[in-house]
Amino acid sequence: MRLIGLSIAALFALPILIGLFGSFLPAAGFMPQLAPGNGLQVLLSDPRFVPAIMLSLKTGLAATALVLLLTMLTLVCAHGTRLWQWLMAFLPPLLAVPHAAMAVGLVFLISPSGWLVRLFSPSVTGLERPPRSWVIPDSDGWSLVLGLVLKEAPFLLMAAAAHLSTINVSDSLKIGRTLGYSPARCWSRLVLPQLYARIRLTLFIILAFNFSVVDMAILLGPGNPPTFSVFLLSLVNEPGSRAAASAGALFLALGVVSCIALVLIVERVIAAIAGYRRVSGYRGRSLAVFRGLGQTVIAGILMLSVAAMAMLLLWSIARRWRFPDALPSQWTSENWLARSDLLLEPLFCTLLFAVFVVVSSILAAIAWLECERANAVPRLDWMWYIPLLIPQITLLFGWQAMALLLRVDGEWLTVAYAHWVYALPYVVLIMAVAWRELDSNWHSAAAVLGAGYWKILLRVRLPLLVKPVAQAAAVALAVSVAQYLPTLLLGAGRHQTLSIELVTSFGGVDRRVIATLAALQSLLPLLAFIAALYLPRLFSTANQDTHATA
Amino acid sequence: MQPLKVSNLTLQLPDGSKLCEALSFEVSPGEVLALMGPSGSGKSTILSWITGTLSPRIRAEGRVWLGDTDITFLPVERRCLGLMLQQDYLFPHMSVAQNLKFGLRGGSRKERDELVRNSLNSAGLAGMDKRHPLTLSGGQRARVSLLRTLLSNPHALLLDEPFSRLDTDLRATIREFTWDAARKLPTLLVTHDKEDIPAHAQTVTLTSLGDAADHLSVGETRHAR
């Protein structure tokens, strides 16, 4: 059993080491046949270097700060209200939407010819043509920031909501309020300091992602200068620039570490101020206006996300939709049916990767958690977070270099392996909670009845854990479907997934086709999440029926 | 200090059953009224209503007064009521002194430090100001929690089974400490253990959930004197 556990850990951790070395060696000049020249020198002398890294710093830090603020605002203003129930219902499907699809929906919403302008034109704005006063993507990267906030805020909020039960919020608020503190002060002085410590790692993952995102930056970020990761992607494709790109990839990782260090310093300062204010005795006043304002902002953000998704659906069934019409004047199903040549191949390719990733990651997670339960391997939760904290580009440049060296680039298994590395952490971490909490007496009860290990696992433990397994499977599928960079860099153009097709087509192809691609890409994880919600119920109902019949 | 008065309190669950009907009582400063009854009889719900933290799903009618002030519709934080629950709820991100200072209202830094030090001394907890709550024993935690409540200068004290989680040996000590500390306040105690009730307390017994006819307090005003 120990061997199985160690093999899984090796299969997971080895690519991370290979990725880091694969970026370091060309950058340091140790792979002259693949990456000639002094990478660092070339990188630093490139005029795009400084503007690109400054833009990434700005968008990455601004988006992360806004995500954190929005999450806290939501908790303070919405927790315990009907809006909170709405958020808990709507956020999982929004989380399932791939970043690229959300970015496309957002462009259809906020661009000069987007739905928001159409909604008020010409009645309010008087516009008969799309305005020219702004463009999307904007040159300052604010549309990218907005896109990142829309996608990452639900992620942090869901993580925070999962931790709330460990803090006993309602009693903390009750005690705080009877001591004379307003609800907002109770949150800021009692709940948030405890909660922040629990969501810090998730925040760092979001920071690393925001700083190094590629697909969303291509769709929503400015082109000149581009974000640093997009600049590196263009660099790696330039002949003779691999060494510089690899050096840049390491620089990107260093940037993430610096940003995390910055957050830790800011955190210390805020903690010191908060610590002082906590014992000052100042009670504060309950401001209903603040609460209302916060709820309005949250509802607005939620509506923006939902509207962005609705845009994809609307454009995918639109035949004729002229500006400034708020809705298409003619509808059609042809975008879905007549373009099947364009949709089916990417769909099949995406599904093939997704099915492999779902099955392999679920099996690996079960094996790992069973090894952990049998004390064959230690708890290594920190290990699963590593690839999520390292910029994708840093690891992928390394993997690509190694794949080129070993002549396995473009192979289906190479790409699938990369998808697996990115899906497995989520699968293990989701399943681990339920796995560890499951009462070990179930095992004992079955064992004394004479059941062996496999029978207990398959007939007792797994049926009891079917819900988290189904949720983990849906997340694995969502992660695989959303993968852009691994497919692009390791696939050598041979694997046209929906993600690749969508980002490549954006800007050059008909809006209706792009919307259809994005809608299809969003539909897959959404269906997976719906299945994860209902299939376990069917399963348990079937079990109950069997028992009843028996 | 002023008396805590509850008049004509009726609590109705979403299914229509009544936890209590027209319950009235008054507790003067220095007196203790104990609400007794089995689990589910509505004792803690009555306390939640008084503190203003009752679930909106439960329908409530009645009035609660502190002296001449009707506090029925005031937000929780403005009712000036001290609440102690089964758990001590010492905040784990604060030291003992910080927990106590969190309860304090106003005063200069020096005054606050002094008050905290004196409180700890009076409770036999001298020198524990910098300790983390998790390093304290159950009895020490209970005392700090009560001190925190008292330092917030409440006008009445509401105790929701505050001794039930303590070891039997410890209970007597903490009970004595509590009744001594609360001697100037009107105190409402919810418990299902007769041992918790001090000798000078009056008792209202809620017998069973939803059985309005059995409520001893229906239509009665019970003064704790």
Side-chain angles (χ1 to χ4, degrees):
Chain A
M1 205 152 195
R2 190 176 172 80
L3 191 68
I4 296 173
L6 290 176
S7 306
I8 293 167
L11 277 172
F12 178 75
L14 216 58
I16 299 169
L17 289 174
I18 290 174
L20 290 174
F21 271 106
S23 278
F24 172 74
L25 294 178
F30 291 121
M31 291 171 85
Q33 71 281 23
L34 184 71
N38 186 332
L40 193 61
Q41 200 175 36
V42 175
L43 180 75
L44 294 177
S45 61
D46 194 307
R48 293 169 292 178
F49 171 70
V50 175
I53 203 147
M54 293 309 287
L55 181 69
S56 281
L57 275 174
K58 185 175 89 177
T59 53
L61 288 174
T64 308
L66 285 171
V67 164
L68 182 62
L69 282 176
L70 193 65
T71 302
M72 294 194 164
L73 188 75
T74 308
L75 288 167
V76 175
C77 297
H79 185 262
T81 65
R82 189 164 286 180
L83 177 62
W84 180 259
Q85 292 168 355
W86 276 90
L87 286 168
M88 290 302 108
F90 272 101
L91 290 187
L94 281 177
L95 264 181
V97 176
H99 285 80
M102 178 62 87
V104 171
L106 194 60
V107 170
F108 290 169
L109 195 64
I110 62 170
S111 65
S113 61
W115 190 70
L116 284 182
V117 177
R118 288 166 187 256
L119 196 62
F120 299 105
S121 299
S123 56
V124 178
T125 63
L127 292 168
E128 291 290 346
R129 288 172 164 276
R132 291 182 179 176
S133 44
W134 79 90
V135 285
I136 298 291
D138 63 305
S139 58
D140 290 325
W142 290 112
S143 38
L144 174 61
V145 171
L146 180 62
L148 288 169
V149 169
L150 290 188
K151 264 308 287 174
E152 297 306 311
F155 182 46
L156 191 62
L157 194 58
M158 289 305 282
H163 284 293
L164 282 180
S165 59
T166 63
I167 297 175
N168 206 340
V169 176
S170 62
D171 281 337
S172 290
L173 292 179
K174 198 186 279 184
I175 292 289
R177 291 189 73 186
T178 55
L179 288 172
Y181 288 87
S182 68
R185 300 259 180 236
C186 290
W187 273 97
S188 67
R189 291 175 186 188
L190 302 179
V191 182
L192 294 183
Q194 295 182 66
L195 184 66
Y196 179 78
R198 289 164 167 85
I199 59 169
R200 185 194 279 119
L201 197 56
T202 312
L203 185 73
F204 289 165
I205 291 171
I206 290 170
L207 176 63
F209 180 83
N210 288 349
F211 187 63
S212 60
V213 63
V214 173
D215 52 357
M216 229 181 189
I218 292 174
L219 300 171
L220 286 174
N224 189 25
T227 62
F228 192 54
S229 47
V230 175
F231 161 60
L232 292 178
L233 190 62
S234 65
L235 207 59
V236 83
N237 290 323
E238 287 173 18
S241 296
R242 174 165 288 279
S246 297
L250 293 177
F251 214 88
L252 191 68
L254 199 67
V256 169
V257 174
S258 309
C259 285
I260 289 175
L262 181 71
V263 171
L264 287 172
I265 293 167
V266 173
E267 192 185 299
R268 286 283 169 94
V269 175
I270 291 174
I273 297 168
Y276 172 75
R277 287 176 63 85
R278 232 179 351 244
V279 295
S280 68
Y282 178 65
R283 261 45 179 182
R285 295 192 66 179
S286 185
L287 291 174
V289 179
F290 168 76
R291 202 172 159 88
L293 197 69
Q295 288 185 356
T296 310
V297 171
I298 298 150
I301 294 281
L302 183 67
M303 280 162 65
L304 207 59
S305 303
V306 174
M309 289 298 94
M311 284 304 100
L312 299 181
L313 279 180
L314 279 180
W315 272 105
S316 74
I317 49 172
R319 183 199 294 275
R320 190 179 173 84
W321 194 356
R322 289 196 321 180
F323 190 90
D325 296 346
L327 286 171
S329 51
Q330 289 177 10
W331 307 85
T332 180
S333 58
E334 275 179 19
N335 299 331
W336 289 87
L337 302 176
R339 308 283 178 95
S340 59
D341 54 323
L342 202 76
L343 298 174
L344 278 180
E345 198 189 325
L347 176 67
F348 181 70
C349 184
T350 305
L351 277 177
L352 211 58
F353 281 124
V355 169
F356 170 83
V357 168
V358 168
V359 174
S360 59
S361 58
I362 291 288
L363 287 177
I366 290 174
W368 175 262
L369 292 169
E370 280 297 292
C371 291
E372 193 186 280
R373 201 176 63 82
N375 285 328
V377 290
R379 266 192 198 189
L380 294 175
D381 284 353
W382 54 269
M383 180 177 77
W384 310 110
Y385 286 102
I386 296 174
L388 308 178
L389 286 165
I390 301 173
Q392 259 200 342
I393 243 175
T394 308
L395 289 182
L396 279 160
F397 279 8
W399 292 347
Q400 193 191 33
M402 289 300 176
L404 286 167
L405 208 67
L406 299 170
R407 296 175 195 282
V408 291
D409 64 308
E411 298 290 333
W412 187 86
L413 206 58
T414 310
V415 180
Y417 190 15
H419 282 213
W420 180 81
V421 169
Y422 280 109
L424 188 61
Y426 293 104
V427 174
V428 172
L429 292 170
I430 290 170
M431 282 170 55
V433 179
W435 220 269
R436 289 166 189 163
E437 278 176 1
L438 188 70
D439 192 345
S440 59
N441 286 331
W442 288 109
H443 188 99
S444 311
V448 294
L449 292 171
Y453 173 79
W454 288 106
K455 192 170 181 181
I456 295 172
L457 178 66
L458 297 173
R459 300 288 299 276
V460 179
R461 293 177 58 78
L462 276 177
L464 287 170
L465 292 163
V466 68
K467 209 171 157 184
V469 171
Q471 284 168 349
V475 170
L477 185 132
V479 171
S480 174
V481 167
Q483 291 304 315
Y484 168 72
L485 207 57
T487 321
L488 179 79
L489 290 177
L490 299 174
R494 289 182 216 159
H495 307 286
Q496 295 301 310
T497 59
L498 286 168
S499 190
I500 294 282
E501 202 65 43
L502 178 63
V503 180
T504 319
S505 311
F506 188 77
V509 184
D510 187 341
R511 266 191 181 195
R512 288 163 292 195
V513 179
I514 296 163
T516 312
L517 276 167
L520 187 59
Q521 197 201 15
S522 307
L523 214 57
L524 294 179
L526 275 176
L527 289 174
F529 273 91
I530 291 168
L533 203 64
Y534 289 103
L535 283 182
R537 288 185 197 175
L538 280 179
F539 186 79
S540 61
T541 312
N543 265 354
Q544 282 164 15
D545 288 348
T546 315
H547 288 292
T549 315
Chain B
M1 287 297 162
Q2 296 166 314
L4 173 73
K5 283 185 287 185
V6 165
S7 62
N8 289 319
L9 172 62
T10 299
L11 293 171
Q12 193 175 16
L13 293 174
D15 63 6
S17 59
K18 285 179 178 167
L19 286 171
C20 63
E21 193 168 11
L23 174 71
S24 299
F25 57 78
E26 180 179 328
V27 195
S28 292
E31 294 174 342
V32 178
L33 178 69
L35 287 177
M36 286 274 300
S39 297
S41 58
K43 312 180 296 289
S44 297
T45 315
I46 292 172
L47 229 58
S48 296
W49 176 75
I50 295 172
T51 54
T53 55
L54 185 69
S55 161
R57 291 171 59 237
I58 299 175
R59 214 175 130 195
E61 277 174 31
R63 284 279 194 271
V64 57
W65 304 75
L66 260 175
D68 294 332
T69 313
D70 184 353
I71 60 168
T72 315
F73 301 108
L74 283 182
V76 186
E77 59 271 21
R78 288 177 58 199
R79 294 191 180 204
C80 293
L81 298 169
L83 177 68
M84 294 277 294
L85 302 171
Q86 283 182 20
Q87 270 181 280
D88 49 62
Y89 289 106
L90 292 182
F91 303 118
H93 59 298
M94 299 185 204
S95 67
V96 168
Q98 286 171 333
N99 262 286
L100 294 178
K101 283 179 185 171
F102 187 77
L104 275 172
R105 288 169 194 267
S108 69
R109 191 173 176 171
K110 198 176 168 188
E111 287 167 346
R112 297 164 66 77
D113 287 341
E114 191 68 28
L115 260 171
V116 166
R117 208 172 12 253
N118 290 343
S119 305
L120 286 171
N121 289 345
S122 69
L125 298 166
M128 295 203 171
D129 51 342
K130 290 200 168 60
R131 293 269 294 269
H132 189 276
L134 284 178
T135 65
L136 302 182
S137 69
Q140 288 169 334
R141 290 173 65 97
R143 275 179 280 171
V144 174
S145 181
L146 183 64
L147 285 180
R148 184 179 64 185
T149 305
L150 294 173
L151 284 174
S152 72
N153 200 15
H155 294 181
L157 195 58
L158 309 176
L159 308 172
D160 191 355
E161 308 209 30
F163 315 117
S164 61
R165 289 169 72 102
L166 297 172
D167 295 338
T168 321
D169 298 342
L170 207 58
R171 279 192 188 188
T173 322
I174 299 300
R175 275 184 204 132
E176 200 178 319
F177 178 74
T178 306
W179 303 135
D180 186 47
R183 64 185 178 276
K184 288 178 185 167
L185 295 169
T187 303
L188 189 60
L189 167 71
V190 158
T191 184
H192 61 267
D193 186 351
K194 281 181 183 164
E195 296 285 314
D196 286 346
I197 305 170
H200 62 286
Q202 286 284 319
T203 307
V204 170
T205 308
L206 302 176
T207 50
S208 63
L209 174 76
D211 190 0
D214 284 349
H215 291 166
L216 286 177
S217 53
V218 174
E220 293 179 18
T221 300
R222 294 200 153 226
H223 294 275
R225 39 172 82 92

